[in-house]
Amino acid sequence: MVRQARVLAQATSDLVNAMRSDAEAEVDVDNSKKLLAAAKLLADATARMVEAAKGAAAYPENEDQQQRLREAAEGLRVATNAAAQNAIKKKLVNRLEIAAKQAAAAATQTIAAAQNAAASNKNTVSHQQLVHSCKAVADSIPHLVQGMRSSQAQPEELGAQLALIMASQSFLQPGSKMVTSAKSAVPTVAEQAAAMQLGQCAKNLATCLAELRTATQKAHDACGPLEIDSALKTVQTLKSELQDAKMSVIDGQLKPLPGESLEKCAQDLGSTSKAVGSSMAQLLTCAAQGNEHYTGVAARETAQALRTLAQAARGVAASTKEPQASAAMLDSAQCVMEGSAMLIHEAHQALVHPGDAESQQRLAQVAKAVSHSLNNCVNCLPGQKDVDMALRSIGEASKKLLVDILPPCSKTFQEAQTDLNHTAAELNHSAGEVVHSSRGTSGQLAAASGKFSHDFDEFLDAGVEMAGHTQSTEDQIQVIGNLKNISMASSKLLLAAKSLSVDPGAANAKNLLAVAARAVTESINQLITLCTQQAAGQKECDNALRELEAVRGLLDNPNEPVSELSYFDCIESVMENSKVLGESMAGISQHCKTGDVVAFGESVGVASKALCGLTEAAGQASYLVGVSDPNSQSGHEGLVDPIQFARAHQAIQMACQNLVDPASSPSQVLSAATIVAKHTSALCNACRLASSKTSNPVARRQFVQSAKEVANTTANLVKTIKALDGDFSDENRNRCRVATTPLLEAVENLSTFANNPEFASIPAQISHEGSAAQEPIVRSARCMLDSSTYLLETARSLVLNPKDPPTWSVLAGHSRTVSDSIKSLITSIRDKAPGQRECDYSIDNINKCIRDIEQASLAAVGQTLPCRDDISMEALQEQLTSSVQEIGHLIDPVSTTARGEAAQLGHKVTQLASYFDPLIVASVGLASKLLDHQQQMTILDQTKTLSESALQMLYAAKEGGGNPKASHTHDAISEAAQLMKEAVDDIMVTLNEAASEGGMVGGMVEAIQVINNIRDLDEGTPPEPEGSFVDYQTTMVKFSKAIAITAQEMMTKSVTCPEELGGLASQVTVDYGQLAHQGRLAAATAEPEEVGFQIKTRVQELGHGCIYLVQKAGALQLSPTDSFSKRELIECARAVTEKVSLVLSALQAGNKGTQACITAASAVSGIIADLDTTIMFASAGTLTPEDEESFADHRESILKTAKALVEDTKLLVAGAASSQEKLAQAAQSSAKTITQLTEVVKLGATSMGSEDPETQVVLINAVRDVAKALAELIGATKCAAGKQADDPSMYQLKSAAKVMVTNVTSLLKTVKAVEDEATRGTRALEATIECIKQELTVFQSKDIPDKSTTPEEFIRMTKGITIATAKAVAAGNSAQQEDVIATANLSRKAISDMLTTCKRAAYHQEVIEELRNRALQYGSECTIGYINLLEQVLQVLQKPTQEQKQQLAVHSKHVAACVTELVQTADAMKGSECVDPEDPTVIAETELLGAAASIEAAAKKLEQLKPRAKPKIGAWRFWKVKLHLCCCVCNMGLCLWCVTA
């Protein structure tokens, strides 16, 4: 660290001198002053760093000095960036320009390759996905190129630079999707050259996108703070452009641009208006929170949306023939721009003055004005004014319902009733015309809405006339209430029609319109039922006919979902409703005969509801059948469901109206409160899910903030409702009314934000084949509706004249037609079950593939497999890898659809099956090129296994059929999916091993790139964090260090053994995958968000470093003697190590205290390993003192240091509940103290001489117990940091602290007793018993071990128990302290080894649950029995009677019995494929491996040894110790040679 500080100081000194020289040569005085000021700041920062470096050099062990040096270095970095900001920015922008140019070129090449491959692509789904992604990228390329050229032409213009950054960011996501689509399509392209070209272009594009992503991020960091100013300037420019366009309108010179039409521009304006409203909602939230970064991003997105809005407004104005309308459109768009500029300015002011209430109020006022301007702009579209006029007409007409006294009646009751029926029919028909015209031209909608408002006016007059004929005031209020409901429903219908005409592509807009039309029909029926007094059964028939007319539109164009029913729910609904319809039709006929008109009316109502249900189910089933066709394009679920938000908004509005209505009863108030709570809860949950899915950080924050606002305002409203429920006073009702206002505003803001087209779902596109499959269902449903209409009309006349025989005959005919059409409907739906035909086809295809692979296997066995000479082995390996990866990606989607998504089943199984033909071709081709027969058979067998598991999956999927209620098939589907995953993993392992051995690292590089893309874009649904930041921090430190270690090893192997680099590169890839996954979770849980962003960035940079390292490893494998490649690999490895340190520093910034705990735990782990090595030397009798010293010389030092460790322990436990700074200090202090304690204990043990090795081991074991307890305590402290006092981790912390105190106390007792020959054996035995009890506690915990071991190793470890038991019995009988000490040391190791291997063997993946539990049970019983045996030995030492000694045999027999059970359990674990542990060959092999492991451990220890600056150990002693270790290694090597001989 100090050495690097010197290098840094020299570099900054050179920079300061250069800046001063530039300042002297600068002509501009202001620039000269700026340079000199920057140079002074840099010089001051350099001086501070030099001082900190001197302090760190003087006190290298002082953590505070090191921290000061880090802080000074960070300050110098900041000062350097400030000084060289312009140069750095220019360099970063230049890099971005180059990256953008390369990305645009690579994307163009990929599009060309995709077009070339289209003719031979056999997979329709992958081809469609590739076409769509290519189109999206093709639309983005011009913006990227334009941004690059503008930036190059205007290098000093900030706006041009930000435009390039914006274009680059917008290009990344479609570019990444195209890479994914291209890679998915490669295996299914039949033409080999086209497939290879597409694959290579996709790889090049992925590399270019990775560079573009990095360059964009760095350029954004440099230019980002000025985004708000740039956005404001953009909006002002747009306003000027619109003013110029208006002048062109006045002059008659405004012409539409190529490709612009009135309809297209109107739709663009309508959809863009939603995006503008949503982005402004984000801007408001970010500005209110005071977050400058996200406010800048939101301002940029707002400016981008406004640019699109301005273009659309200009296009509408240019395409409109009336100059007045064109000018009005441009004026309204100018108002939007003017208000938006003011909004961005106020947002900037809110950032400058955070928390200023006045500023926030101005911001809200300006936002409302902009929203109003935006609505006015949309209202200027053709046809919208007419709809608005119709809405105003309805509003004006509805004022007639607000009078206290109704006008006198002018007609008789019969005339009023007839008039009401007639106007109701006209209004219902006009509602249908509005629905139909909303899909047509703007002129048709204008005419339909005008007629609807006219018919509504007439209907309202008839309703008011009818209300005047009511007999009671209560009836009159009810009639007026129904008329108000009709008025509201009519307004909603026109609003839905208006919304659909503005944005026909909006998700579920057509369904919302259909629902609004049905609401009009239902409200009309309610009024007719209430008001009319027709002949028996007439009004029920009329109501039913109107309802059937309303639902008929569901069958006109079933290309959108009608409801949320699944395919199987549709079948159930059809069956249930057909049964109800049959019963009600029989009732209609029966009641006509008997003249029971009341029952007749009820039967007609039931029949009408059943027919509506049948129509809905038929419409939904036809949609699902059409979508499930493989040629159709399935839709994609959006981030949010706009229908859910719209319904919730409407329901909350209605409930709030009921709450503040003075006429509401207490029950109605409680009902309204329940509705509010239900829908606000649903909205909050939807926001939570959306925030976890979106990759847009601004949108994520907006969803979270909106949910908080809705939740808080709901809580406030609930409080006022509770007060109102207790006392229905005017004051409480007024408070309730006031509390509803912020809730309604919050819900409205949320709905506005959620309307962003970016969040909307993509509707399915049904193919011609899908439409043909729909036809039988739609035809049967229409026939059912037609015949039902005729049946109801006939029944209406028949109930008046039941004695008319011809009418009965007609009724029977219509009844038969209805029955036949329903039977036909059921048959059609069942015959078109989604996915079944595709499953059969896919099963046949995979069966054929299995036959082909079997033929190839037979040919390989007979050595007659023909070799493919038309393609290289590397290309075949890539093809096979690509096919296997795509199959692996489809396992979960197929499993999911088979369990509950019938509409998607056909798509997924067809897509899955399409990859098996290229899989077989590539597998057989690769096998034909392999020279090794075993490798040939491995590849072919694994391919066959994968095909067979896929076949099993398809059979299970076909049986499941996407039915969520067929739970009996779900286990089989899950099992088949697991088998497929295992088969994919097996073949991928084989391919990766082969690739790494041959130096082909393309797959590894691609894997890291994919991981980096997922991390950066958050594609797909991110994993839900289940732990805390500390958990992910710990795991990240582990994998980061593993990567650093592997990188160092690669440096060594590059010189000594290049052929092993492939395996190390593969390990780097695996470790980085784990690190990136944990990094994503850590970033999500880090506080503040800046730390999370820094973690993501550092991990991503490490990923780029790993890519270069893996590439260089592959190059060196291909050319092992290339010195240039070796040098490059070493440089890349060093770069990776540096980037690992940056990741660790980012983690430390997140939680300094927990990071210190992790570092301390790592240090203590090293101390424990060092003590194990020391115990090995002490046991061998080689731990000898260098001077004439006694243990008494070290006793006081040990006691003093142990007491200091107890104090550190207290600070550590207290640090869990205090600040991160104090926790860090406590962790560092405890690690330092345990190091000192270990050293003094080792010196004390050494001073005792090698004549008494057992006592040396006892002492070292005592301090090892302390170190182990400290490691557990540090881990518990890390987990408990920042938690509440009642958190379970706090209890674990207290337990670990108790163990720590116990072990320190035991050490102190051991130190005091070690020179007392009469008691040191007893003390050693007590310490061993306590140690075994602690080991047993760990053994009985639920923690699963990291590693597993074999049953043979388990059996071998049980032998140590047998030997230790015999030794314990002998020591008890002899009662000699030396025997007791030896027993204590042996027992500790034997029990520890047995418990470790027992748990590892029990949790082996092949061990069944029963054997696992049995092994754990007898492991515990054996340990408890052994503890009892040692305690009995202790009693014998204290009271050596014959009876006590006889008990030793009893305890030893119990231990022996438990050992026997353990051995039998281990034998059961082995199964049939086992080896005999008594076999001499096995014994020799075990000893060989043990000796090799010992040599490796000693060698590593030898490498790590460095002389310490200790007064009692000179350099000569260090070299003597090192020489001694060399001798040990040589002796072990000799033993190894003897064993092999």
Side-chain angles (χ1 to χ4, degrees), residues 256-459:
L257 298 176
E260 285 186 346
S261 66
L262 181 59
E263 296 298 328
K264 177 181 179 300
C265 292
Q267 291 180 12
D268 289 345
L269 184 72
S271 59
T272 308
S273 65
K274 296 180 180 178
V276 172
S278 179
S279 57
M280 285 185 175
Q282 295 182 45
L283 181 64
L284 283 173
T285 301
C286 296
Q289 292 176 347
N291 190 305
E292 183 178 1
H293 170 71
Y294 289 124
T295 304
V297 175
R300 184 191 70 206
E301 292 181 356
T302 301
Q304 189 174 6
L306 287 170
R307 183 185 297 279
T308 308
L309 181 75
Q311 291 173 350
R314 184 204 174 279
V316 170
S319 305
T320 302
K321 296 179 180 179
E322 300 177 6
Q324 188 176 358
S326 299
M329 169 58 72
L330 293 173
D331 283 339
S332 63
Q334 273 187 278
C335 289
V336 172
M337 300 304 157
E338 187 176 350
S340 300
M342 192 177 298
L343 179 67
I344 295 174
H345 175 72
E346 290 297 337
H348 193 209
Q349 292 301 312
L351 290 177
V352 175
H353 306 288
D356 183 12
E358 186 178 348
S359 177
Q360 298 291 338
Q361 188 176 1
R362 283 200 308 270
L363 191 62
Q365 290 173 351
V366 173
K368 286 183 180 179
V370 174
S371 178
H372 183 68
S373 301
L374 203 57
N375 289 333
N376 289 340
C377 185
V378 173
N379 290 337
C380 289
L381 288 172
Q384 297 298 299
K385 287 184 177 180
D386 300 280
V387 179
D388 287 337
M389 287 176 61
L391 283 167
R392 282 196 294 271
S393 174
I394 290 175
E396 288 295 326
S398 299
K399 289 181 180 178
K400 300 174 186 177
L401 305 176
L402 302 177
V403 297
D404 295 331
I405 301 175
L406 294 177
C409 299
S410 59
K411 300 177 183 178
T412 65
F413 179 79
Q414 193 64 35
E415 289 173 342
Q417 182 174 289
T418 304
D419 195 18
L420 183 63
N421 285 330
H422 174 71
T423 54
E426 289 295 323
L427 183 61
N428 193 57
H429 181 69
S430 295
E433 288 183 354
V434 169
V435 172
H436 181 73
S437 64
S438 62
R439 299 173 183 146
T441 64
S442 56
Q444 291 173 335
L445 177 61
S449 58
K451 184 177 183 302
F452 181 81
S453 66
H454 177 266
D455 290 341
F456 175 81
D457 199 12
E458 291 189 351
F459 173 78

Side-chain angles (χ1 to χ4, degrees), residues 452-639:
F452 181 81
S453 66
H454 177 266
D455 290 341
F456 175 81
D457 199 12
E458 291 189 351
F459 173 78
L460 194 67
D461 289 339
V464 171
E465 180 73 21
M466 197 69 195
H469 285 283
T470 53
Q471 299 297 320
S472 64
T473 306
E474 186 177 342
D475 291 341
Q476 189 179 84
I477 291 174
Q478 199 168 357
V479 171
I480 295 299
N482 280 334
L483 287 171
K484 288 180 180 178
N485 289 339
I486 295 171
S487 173
M488 185 179 295
S490 300
S491 298
K492 288 179 180 177
L493 172 65
L494 289 179
L495 287 172
K498 180 180 177 182
S499 177
L500 178 63
S501 67
V502 169
D503 187 11
N508 296 305
K510 296 176 183 176
N511 282 340
L512 289 172
L513 181 62
V515 169
R518 289 183 64 184
V520 171
T521 301
E522 289 173 1
S523 57
I524 290 173
N525 285 347
Q526 289 175 2
L527 182 65
I528 296 297
T529 302
L530 177 68
C531 294
T532 58
Q533 295 180 1
Q534 295 173 314
Q538 299 304 293
K539 61 182 178 184
E540 288 85 357
C541 290
D542 290 342
N543 289 347
L545 291 171
R546 275 192 292 270
E547 288 178 352
L548 295 185
E549 185 66 25
V551 298
R552 188 182 295 273
L554 297 177
L555 303 174
D556 290 342
N557 191 17
N559 57 359
E560 283 192 359
V562 175
S563 63
E564 296 181 356
L565 294 179
S566 68
Y567 172 78
F568 294 96
D569 291 335
C570 290
I571 293 179
E572 288 184 9
S573 178
V574 168
M575 296 298 294
E576 291 174 3
N577 282 305
S578 62
K579 181 181 178 182
V580 172
L581 180 61
E583 293 173 353
S584 59
M585 286 170 58
I588 289 173
S589 176
Q590 179 65 27
H591 299 315
C592 279
K593 290 179 182 178
T594 60
D596 189 349
V597 293
V598 176
F600 171 82
E602 292 177 355
S603 296
V604 168
V606 171
S608 173
K609 293 293 184 290
L611 285 166
C612 290
L614 282 166
T615 307
E616 285 185 1
Q620 178 70 2
S622 64
Y623 166 77
L624 294 174
V625 167
V627 168
S628 66
D629 188 273
N631 297 299
S632 299
Q633 295 180 23
S634 58
H636 299 286
E637 184 182 355
L639 199 61

Side-chain angles (χ1 to χ4, degrees), residues 967-1006:
S967 55
H968 62 283
T969 65
H970 293 176
D971 289 341
I973 294 170
S974 300
E975 182 181 352
Q978 184 60 36
L979 290 175
M980 274 196 78
K981 289 178 181 178
E982 292 174 0
V984 166
D985 290 343
D986 290 343
I987 196 168
M988 285 304 298
V989 167
T990 302
L991 291 172
N992 288 335
E993 288 177 353
S996 61
E997 289 173 4
M1000 291 179 283
V1001 297
M1004 302 178 200
V1005 171
E1006 186 176 337

Side-chain angles (χ1 to χ4, degrees), residues 50-162:
V50 169
E51 288 299 321
K54 289 178 180 178
Y59 304 99
E61 301 295 329
N62 192 315
E63 286 285 341
D64 292 336
Q65 294 289 347
Q66 293 178 14
Q67 183 61 29
R68 288 194 189 97
L69 180 57
R70 291 191 191 99
E71 292 173 355
E74 179 63 19
L76 180 57
R77 186 188 67 81
V78 173
T80 306
N81 286 341
Q85 185 177 10
N86 291 331
I88 293 172
K89 186 190 295 184
K90 188 174 181 180
K91 181 179 178 181
L92 293 174
V93 171
N94 287 338
R95 179 184 173 186
L96 178 58
E97 291 170 355
I98 296 171
K101 183 178 180 180
Q102 292 175 345
T108 305
Q109 292 173 358
T110 307
I111 292 173
Q115 292 172 343
N116 183 38
S120 57
N121 191 346
K122 298 181 292 183
N123 189 326
T124 308
V125 177
S126 66
H127 173 64
Q128 289 174 345
Q129 290 177 347
L130 184 58
V131 169
H132 282 293
S133 58
C134 287
K135 184 178 182 303
V137 171
D139 292 339
S140 301
I141 289 176
H143 298 293
L144 184 65
V145 173
Q146 182 182 359
M148 177 194 66
R149 288 176 178 171
S150 299
S151 178
Q152 289 176 336
Q154 301 171 321
E156 303 299 327
E157 181 63 34
L158 176 64
Q161 296 170 355
L162 289 174

Side-chain angles (χ1 to χ4, degrees), residues 863-934:
Q863 302 293 320
T864 59
L865 187 65
C867 179
R868 282 190 64 180
D869 298 325
D870 59 331
I871 188 171
S872 67
M873 179 184 288
E874 185 175 0
L876 285 169
Q877 205 162 14
E878 285 187 3
Q879 288 181 8
L880 183 57
T881 302
S882 179
S883 298
V884 173
Q885 285 177 339
E886 295 302 326
I887 290 171
H889 294 157
L890 285 168
I891 294 174
D892 284 335
V894 170
S895 174
T896 302
T897 55
R899 284 197 296 260
E901 297 178 12
Q904 299 297 322
L905 180 60
H907 292 280
K908 297 305 178 186
V909 297
T910 303
Q911 197 174 355
L912 177 68
S914 68
Y915 288 109
F916 277 88
D917 284 329
L919 173 74
I920 301 304
V921 171
S923 176
V924 173
L926 180 61
S928 69
K929 284 187 169 290
L930 293 172
L931 301 178
D932 186 274
H933 176 69
Q934 184 60 42

